[in-house]
Amino acid sequence: MKTNLILVFMLVVGQIKAQNPEFKQYDNGLIYSDVAMGKLKHIVDSLNLKFKVCDVNKKFYSNRQTIAHHISLEVKQVKEAKADIDMNISFDEFVKKYPKAKVVEKLVLIATTYKNYRDENELEFFNMELSENSNFSLSFENKNESEVIHGNWIYNYNEKTKYSDEDIQAYYILKPFESLELPKKYSRLIQYSDCLIDTTATVFTNKAKNSGVRYYSDTLTKARVFIQYVDQVLKRPEFEPEKFDVLIGMDTIDFDKPNKKLSKKKREESNRKRVIIEKEFEVFQDKMNAWQEKRLSRIDSLKNNDSSFMTKLMEAYTESKENKSSDDQFEEYVGLYISKDAELELKRNRRVVGGCSMDDSPRIHALNIALLSAETTKWEIFLQSHLNIMNDRFDRVSDGGWAQQGRSTYIREIEDLNINVLDLLFGISLRVNNTAENHYYGSISRLGRALSESKNQIDFENKSLAMIEDNDLDIYNRLLIYFLFRNYNNYLPNEFQQKQNIERLKISISKLPDYVASKIVLN
């Protein structure tokens, strides 16, 4: 517990002292060097040629979708309503018999299946939320549609507990689910994304382990022993753990009686100590910065003068590779003295989980993987890792919306690689049910923000509005592009441009079916 708090404290201090931009930028204004960009451009040119000769007849089909009413009923007559639903009562009869039921009519309902956190098949029905108080969904584990659709009804019944009332949530389906073939021009967008993003590869290895402040272990691995050996020889500055306790307020907590309040005298004493220790900590940080500046040159000297250096490093590397346990500092030494490929492999063996909203270690880890992939020309790893940064696709124990604004998208990096960025981002925005197993799906909100920073804004606006208006494209995907456009527009810095886009969007919305268009409110 105490160790984790100290690690979180160090993390927060680092965030407070960090300067914008989020990551180091090279002279080219990008987070990748000219050398790395040159290597990547060569690969992109080859992939663009490959796309021109790939299967142009590949057909993609939309997620299964329909139109449905949503009904919820609580407390009274719930069992009776469940019995009527099991008998496939009509919608009109149900509403007449249960006037207290809450009803939202004519929603776009989607059916999809995925693996949940227990690695079980999850069947989910959800509707597109186009207005307030219309965000509903029903989920079923290890069930197929025929098992949960009762005539025109899909429902979840919940018995009364000491925590909640008896209730039933249901969809009434107006027509059978259907999966529509995407027009060829949209299928090509998905094909292009699959051509660039290797669906046979993943950023992390199959048996990668979680790491991060919440997964800290005191186990004395050979990698940790090696780091201790280096730190000791190079005389790394130290700061007493007891003083960390004071900085993070641990000295004010009585763990036997956590609710016990400190006396005024003890609070004043603790505050005086903290002021003194904060000054000591500033001195410590200055010493650490000076030590870090000389560390790499001094470790070169250590390697050249200690014949056991490489033996210790190789033994630690072999154990880390097998146990999938290492950290950034040890991996840096592996990259310097064994190989960059070996360093990349160790990084791919551990998935960094963020400890809180302020914890940017998952993004830093992804950038390090992207940098190493670029340096070692492993495009299949590079692009997915960069897209993870763009989409902020990382696990965190908690994540506040306020922290997300500081995480940039870095769209310029891929625009400068001669990628057809719009085709790529449209390709990972569309949803279909027959993609390759590891097809990359983007976050609509994050992609909208990225596109607001794109140099191809006019082209995006024209193409996305045309897609919203296209009656040959299924309603679900038209609405996804509508949300993509809304997110894009919300992030534009120019208010006049925003207002112009809203007027254009109104015209496109009018081309949607009335049961959809009538629910959309543009603020």
Side-chain angles (χ1 to χ4, degrees):
M1 173 68 175
K2 183 185 291 188
T3 301
N4 284 342
L5 285 171
I6 290 173
L7 289 170
V8 171
F9 172 78
M10 292 294 290
L11 165 73
V12 172
V13 169
Q15 293 293 329
I16 292 171
K17 292 179 74 66
Q19 301 294 316
N20 286 329
E22 180 185 21
F23 300 133
K24 170 192 172 181
Q25 289 186 344
Y26 289 86
D27 291 340
N28 57 14
L30 307 176
I31 58 175
Y32 306 116
S33 69
D34 284 332
V35 173
M37 292 292 287
K39 292 180 179 180
L40 293 170
K41 283 179 182 178
H42 180 72
I43 298 172
V44 171
D45 290 342
S46 299
L47 290 172
N48 283 331
L49 289 173
K50 173 187 172 184
F51 175 66
K52 291 180 180 179
V53 296
C54 70
D55 181 12
V56 296
N57 297 314
K58 173 74 174 177
K59 295 180 180 180
F60 291 100
Y61 295 87
S62 70
N63 287 117
R64 290 168 53 74
Q65 55 197 276
T66 187
I67 308 169
H69 305 315
H70 184 270
I71 295 167
S72 60
L73 184 63
E74 298 178 354
V75 185
K76 294 182 178 180
Q77 294 184 291
V78 175
K79 282 189 174 65
E80 186 180 352
K82 177 181 179 299
D84 283 336
I85 288 174
D86 283 332
M87 295 298 293
N88 199 30
I89 186 174
S90 72
F91 173 74
D92 290 339
E93 289 175 344
F94 185 95
V95 172
K96 183 178 180 180
K97 186 173 181 179
Y98 304 99
K100 292 187 177 180
K102 296 178 182 178
V103 178
V104 182
E105 296 189 21
K106 292 188 176 180
L107 300 169
V108 177
L109 184 64
I110 314 300
T112 186
T113 303
Y114 61 91
K115 290 286 186 182
N116 61 23
Y117 69 96
R118 290 190 296 271
D119 203 34
E120 301 285 348
N121 288 325
E122 189 94 5
L123 172 61
E124 182 180 22
F125 300 91
F126 66 93
N127 61 271
M128 300 298 286
E129 185 181 8
L130 300 176
S131 56
E132 290 186 21
N133 303 317
S134 64
N135 183 19
F136 311 113
S137 66
L138 298 175
S139 295
F140 306 89
E141 192 170 275
N142 293 322
K143 299 281 187 181
N144 55 48
E145 288 186 19
S146 63
E147 294 176 282
V148 300
I149 298 179
H150 307 271
N152 292 78
W153 294 88
I154 310 168
Y155 72 86
N156 265 342
Y157 165 75
N158 299 300
E159 294 182 344
K160 182 178 180 179
T161 70
K162 62 180 180 180
Y163 303 108
S164 61
D165 292 320
E166 181 184 31
D167 78 293
I168 191 166
Q169 305 289 324
Y171 286 111
Y172 183 85
I173 304 168
L174 297 182
K175 63 178 184 178
F177 281 94
E178 59 181 353
S179 179
L180 303 174
E181 181 181 340
L182 264 66
K184 183 174 288 186
K185 59 183 176 181
Y186 302 126
S187 292
R188 292 284 286 175
L189 300 176
I190 299 170
Q191 283 178 292
Y192 184 65
S193 68
D194 281 350
C195 179
L196 288 181
I197 309 168
D198 189 344
T199 57
T200 66
T202 56
V203 172
F204 298 104
T205 57
N206 289 335
K207 295 182 179 180
K209 292 183 178 180
N210 288 342
S211 66
V213 294
R214 302 290 180 134
Y215 293 87
Y216 179 81
S217 171
D218 289 323
T219 303
L220 198 61
T221 62
K222 290 184 178 181
R224 186 166 294 165
V225 170
F226 182 83
I227 291 172
Q228 290 176 353
Y229 147 73
V230 172
D231 290 348
Q232 184 177 4
V233 174
L234 301 188
K235 294 182 172 58
R236 174 181 172 142
E238 295 183 355
F239 198 77
E240 298 168 40
E242 292 76 11
K243 292 183 178 180
F244 273 124
D245 289 354
V246 177
L247 287 176
I248 64 176
M250 292 285 288
D251 64 319
T252 65
I253 300 174
D254 184 339
F255 287 96
D256 293 327
K257 298 177 181 178
N259 295 323
K260 182 181 177 181
K261 293 183 178 179
L262 284 181
S263 66
K264 182 180 179 181
K265 181 179 179 180
K266 287 189 175 181
R267 285 200 307 271
E268 290 174 348
E269 181 184 349
S270 177
N271 288 335
R272 282 195 298 270
K273 286 168 60 178
R274 186 175 293 110
V275 170
I276 294 171
I277 291 173
E278 283 175 352
K279 293 179 180 178
E280 293 179 5
F281 185 70
E282 290 179 4
V283 173
F284 163 74
Q285 285 192 303
D286 289 339
K287 289 180 178 178
M288 272 298 297
N289 290 336
W291 184 82
Q292 288 285 8
E293 287 178 5
K294 298 178 180 178
R295 176 174 61 91
L296 295 183
S297 61
R298 293 180 66 202
I299 197 173
D300 276 343
S301 176
L302 173 60
K303 171 185 173 291
N304 294 332
N305 289 284
D306 186 346
S307 59
S308 68
F309 180 95
M310 284 305 299
T311 301
K312 292 174 180 176
L313 178 61
M314 286 302 300
E315 288 178 354
Y317 164 67
T318 301
E319 182 188 77
S320 295
K321 183 178 176 181
E322 182 178 344
N323 296 341
K324 295 176 171 53
S325 59
S326 57
D327 61 25
D328 286 327
Q329 188 173 346
F330 178 73
E331 289 158 3
E332 181 185 29
Y333 296 149
V334 169
L336 287 170
Y337 302 115
I338 298 179
S339 73
K340 294 297 182 183
D341 285 298
E343 181 183 3
L344 176 60
E345 182 180 18
L346 291 183
K347 288 189 180 297
R348 294 182 63 212
N349 277 341
R350 61 183 185 94
R351 185 182 292 103
V352 177
V353 178
C356 64
S357 300
M358 289 291 290
D359 186 354
D360 270 350
S361 58
R363 290 174 63 80
I364 293 170
H365 189 59
L367 176 64
N368 287 335
I369 289 176
L371 288 167
L372 283 166
S373 299
E375 190 170 344
T376 56
T377 59
K378 290 182 172 55
W379 170 263
E380 68 280 7
I381 308 301
F382 165 80
L383 185 56
Q384 288 192 49
S385 196
H386 186 86
L387 288 174
N388 284 346
I389 296 171
M390 176 183 286
N391 286 275
D392 200 29
R393 179 177 290 179
F394 304 108
D395 293 329
R396 292 183 177 89
V397 175
S398 63
D399 193 20
W402 55 269
Q404 297 168 14
Q405 299 304 311
R407 301 169 191 156
S408 299
T409 63
Y410 304 101
I411 190 172
R412 186 187 157 195
E413 276 71 4
I414 56 175
E415 286 183 330
D416 283 11
L417 286 176
N418 301 326
I419 290 174
N420 189 328
V421 173
L422 288 186
D423 283 3
L424 171 64
L425 299 192
F426 277 129
I428 63 177
S429 296
L430 294 169
R431 302 302 195 247
V432 292
N433 67 5
N434 63 321
T435 57
E437 183 177 353
N438 292 318
H439 174 77
Y440 194 101
Y441 286 112
S443 160
I444 296 297
S445 60
R446 287 287 296 185
L447 292 181
R449 177 178 171 181
L451 287 160
S452 74
E453 301 164 4
S454 171
K455 59 187 178 184
N456 299 307
Q457 291 182 2
I458 294 175
D459 199 13
F460 166 74
E461 291 172 8
N462 292 335
K463 288 183 177 180
S464 57
L465 291 173
M467 292 172 75
I468 295 169
E469 297 176 13
D470 192 346
N471 289 321
D472 291 329
L473 184 62
D474 65 282
I475 290 296
Y476 178 37
N477 278 310
R478 290 170 73 182
L479 287 174
L480 285 174
I481 302 304
Y482 155 76
F483 283 116
L484 182 66
F485 188 95
R486 285 291 301 270
N487 279 285
Y488 157 82
N489 201 50
N490 288 342
Y491 279 107
L492 290 175
N494 187 314
E495 188 174 343
F496 178 72
Q497 185 182 359
Q498 286 182 320
K499 290 179 179 179
Q500 282 188 315
N501 283 340
I502 288 295
E503 295 306 311
R504 296 178 67 195
L505 183 57
K506 287 179 181 178
I507 296 172
S508 296
I509 290 171
S510 69
K511 307 294 178 64
L512 291 165
D514 184 63
Y515 68 88
V516 174
S518 61
K519 290 183 171 64
I520 296 175
V521 178
L522 294 177
N523 296 322

